[in-house]
Amino acid sequence: MKSRYSIFSLMRNALSYHEKWPEAWRSPEPKSSYDVVIVGGGGHGLATAYYLAKVHGIRNVAVIERGWLGGGNTGRNTTIVRSNYLWDESAGLYEHAMKLWEGLSQELNYNVMFSQRGVMNLAHNQQDLRDIARRVNANRLNGIDSEFLTPHQIKDLVPIIDLRGNGRYPVLGASNQRRGGTARHDAVAWGYARRADEHGVDIIQECPVNGFEIENGKVTGVQTAKGLIKAKKVGVVVAGHSSVTAEMAGIRLPLVSHPLQALVSEPVKPVIDTVVMSNAIHAYISQSDKGELVIGAGVDKYVGYGQRGSLPVTEETLAAVCELFPSLKRMRMMRQWGGIVDTCPDASPIISKTPVDGFFINCGWGTGGFKATPGSGWVFADTIANDRPHPLNEAFSLERFNSGYLVDEHGAAAVAH
Amino acid sequence: MLEINCPYCGPRFETEFSYGGEAHIERPKDSENLSDEEWGEYVFMNSNTKGVFLERWVHTSGCRRWFNVARDTVSYKILAVYETGTEPPELDLRKDV
């Protein structure tokens, strides 16, 4: 067991000018075989490995990452956490994640800076209002905190908002989930990595996967840049590259990969202490602890793997932000980036067994996977360990695209696609 | 911003166009005899290629006509534009991993 992070370890290390902190996880060479190999070292993959080791006692596990930990969508999202989804199936999954978030810093002994500052979804027209009212009621029936806000209540919580939306995007109401909020995205990957490593999981970075060994319809190994790694089971959690990776195993997926953009402004004093999202006009905004406004933009409509987006998308988002928050018009943007999101036809994830024995896939989180990181890892680990879906992810099988049992969450997903 | 060379109107900005997804997907002819798996394949499954992708675009704010584009989904470079219903030109249909 590594030393715990605590006020005492902080003081002890202060005496050596913080130069003697031990490494948070090892960087081992891969062994020749593992019980489970997880492909993809983002938050979801690392969480899967951690829960495999901790909950299911499967410690002979490797996480293989082509780049560096959390360098994909884990480090590129806008850090928003909420669970106010419409359908019972999604409510179960996302609310399970929310409950894990609430104890995550203690569980991981790593401060993920989970801040339940509330998440608000604005309504700009009568139909938005009806949809929001329906979703608030559905949430409450599922035991998820959710409330309806009138324009005056919105103004109380977010003084800089212009309720007239400059005449263009009038604010008629909002849904609000007070338990929602933000978390430090990198810390989630690092915290899970450190704890998984502590439980014996090998984390192997800079190791792209080139193919899978499949014999008689059963997976037996993973071909990587560091040679063949034998595996009894393989879990693939690679977000934007899911289709590409699954094709190596001869599996076709219903995904479309789009670039999704985000940007941050120069840091300013606190102006907004909650998260405001507007699905209809693609503006959502929160303020980081450093003072930067974190703004989520939309997806490019075309298939793209370039991890960058095109200008019209950011332009549209910023135009909407300026209409809703006129006082931000003179803000300057510091950074802008894109991540590749694997959007699914029903805006719900796929956490499933596949036609290949021992080969599991967790993908299709699209534009909103970060919020589900702990829950996604938890149910995926359970699915892999027991070779059957957990009740919470039974509805999210690959099979649903044949049966037609889709879980349509386009209304609850923040970014239209 | 992509500059797309509409075969009917010439080069225009991306914002004038709408995207139609993967090209050359044929609707199954004997639809009454299809299994659920075959329907699922036709309706939902997608090549989602990393590399050279054949896709459909429509010039929404222009001539409103559909056409096909061969585009590199990593560099976003447009390699060819060709009319709907015609075969794609000879291209190296590269796939990246």
Side-chain angles (χ1 to χ4, degrees), chain A residues 139-160:
Chain A
N139 292 156
R140 295 174 81 123
L141 287 170
N142 276 316
I144 297 169
D145 73 305
S146 195
E147 62 187 325
F148 185 82
L149 299 181
T150 63
H152 282 101
Q153 289 171 311
I154 297 169
K155 187 80 180 168
D156 280 348
L157 289 170
V158 188
I160 60 165

Side-chain angles (χ1 to χ4, degrees), chain A residues 11 24 52 69 87 110 121 156 170 198 257 278 299 304 319 336-337 357 368 375 384:
Chain A
M11 291 188 317
L52 272 174
L69 292 191
W87 299 107
Y110 205 104
N121 283 77
D156 280 348
E198 227 172 77
S257 293
S278 173
V299 292
Q336 167 260 6
W337 64 92
D357 238 13
I384 294 172

Side-chain angles (χ1 to χ4, degrees), chain A residues 37-333:
Chain A
V37 169
I38 302 293
V39 181
H44 290 235
L46 292 162
T48 307
Y50 168 65
Y51 291 116
L52 272 174
K54 194 205 162 205
V55 180
H56 303 282
I58 301 172
R59 289 159 185 255
N60 188 21
V61 175
V63 177
I64 299 178
E65 165 58 42
R66 73 186 263 156
W68 65 97
L69 292 191
N73 292 351
T74 303
R76 292 165 192 266
N77 59 73
T78 47
T79 80
I80 295 164
V81 176
R82 61 189 172 88
S83 64
N84 54 352
Y85 279 70
L86 178 67
W87 299 107
D88 296 355
E89 294 85 353
S90 324
L93 183 61
Y94 289 101
E95 180 61 13
H96 181 61
M98 176 64 88
K99 284 177 179 153
L100 291 171
W101 275 114
E102 286 173 330
L104 198 60
S105 291
Q106 288 74 22
E107 165 94 21
L108 298 180
N109 178 228
Y110 205 104
N111 188 3
V112 299
M113 297 167 75
F114 183 45
S115 157
Q116 294 181 293
R117 58 183 69 182
V119 174
M120 203 182 276
N121 283 77
L122 302 181
H124 298 291
N125 54 47
Q126 293 298 325
Q127 187 57 45
D128 283 357
L129 277 180
R130 284 190 284 265
D131 290 343
I132 276 176
R134 180 188 181 203
R135 197 141 58 83
V136 166
N137 288 325
N139 292 156
R140 295 174 81 123
L141 287 170
N142 276 316
I144 297 169
D145 73 305
S146 195
E147 62 187 325
F148 185 82
L149 299 181
T150 63
H152 282 101
Q153 289 171 311
I154 297 169
K155 187 80 180 168
D156 280 348
L157 289 170
V158 188
I160 60 165
I161 201 166
D162 179 1
L163 293 176
R164 295 174 301 117
N166 212 3
R168 189 161 177 200
Y169 304 121
V171 178
L172 304 182
S175 70
N176 192 28
Q177 184 179 21
R178 288 183 192 249
R179 280 161 71 236
T182 59
R184 170 87 200 277
H185 48 9
D186 301 316
V188 177
W190 299 335
Y192 272 120
R194 176 166 168 271
R195 284 295 250 178
D197 179 87
E198 227 172 77
H199 283 86
V201 172
D202 283 355
I203 295 167
I204 297 149
Q205 300 181 68
E206 297 182 325
C207 180
V209 166
N210 304 319
F212 298 99
E213 296 287 308
I214 295 167
E215 284 167 27
N216 303 324
K218 188 180 184 328
V219 72
T220 57
V222 183
Q223 288 286 0
T224 74
K226 298 191 177 181
L228 173 68
I229 302 174
K230 286 199 178 316
K232 290 183 189 137
K233 291 176 181 176
V234 173
V236 171
V237 210
V238 293
H241 279 71
S242 293
S243 298
V244 177
T245 313
E247 200 187 331
M248 294 175 191
I251 298 165
R252 266 165 72 80
L253 296 173
L255 305 176
V256 181
S257 293
H258 296 281
L260 173 65
Q261 293 186 74
L263 20 89
V264 295
S265 73
E266 56 192 329
V268 289
K269 287 190 174 178
V271 288
I272 178 164
D273 64 357
T274 182
V275 181
V276 179
M277 324 179 70
S278 173
N279 303 11
I281 53 174
H282 262 323
Y284 58 97
I285 188 164
S286 63
Q287 192 168 17
S288 76
D289 294 342
K290 284 184 285 183
E292 301 154 340
L293 295 171
V294 182
I295 297 169
V299 292
D300 281 309
K301 51 199 168 191
Y302 45 79
V303 175
Y305 284 90
Q307 290 195 323
R308 64 188 178 281
S310 68
L311 193 60
V313 175
T314 39
E315 207 176 351
E316 194 185 319
T317 295
L318 289 176
V321 167
C322 289
E323 297 279 356
L324 281 175
F325 307 100
S327 56
L328 303 182
K329 274 184 182 164
R330 307 279 296 268
M331 293 283 290
R332 277 167 295 198
M333 293 298 135

Side-chain angles (χ1 to χ4, degrees), chain A residues 66 241 243-244 247-248 252-257 259 301-306 308 310 312 345 401-402 406, chain B residues 1-2 14-15 17 19 36-37 40-41 44-50 53 57 71 73-76 95 97:
Chain A
R66 73 186 263 156
H241 279 71
S243 298
V244 177
E247 200 187 331
M248 294 175 191
R252 266 165 72 80
L253 296 173
L255 305 176
V256 181
S257 293
K301 51 199 168 191
Y302 45 79
V303 175
Y305 284 90
R308 64 188 178 281
S310 68
F401 298 98
N402 297 334
L406 303 187
Chain B
M1 174 85 87
L2 301 180
E14 163 195 336
T15 43
F17 298 85
Y19 189 57
D36 287 352
E37 286 70 30
E41 170 67 30
F44 294 115
M45 298 302 158
N46 188 299
S47 301
N48 202 17
T49 309
K50 183 180 186 184
F53 191 49
W57 287 81
R71 188 176 56 91
T73 58
V74 181
S75 69
Y76 302 166
K95 273 190 185 180
V97 290

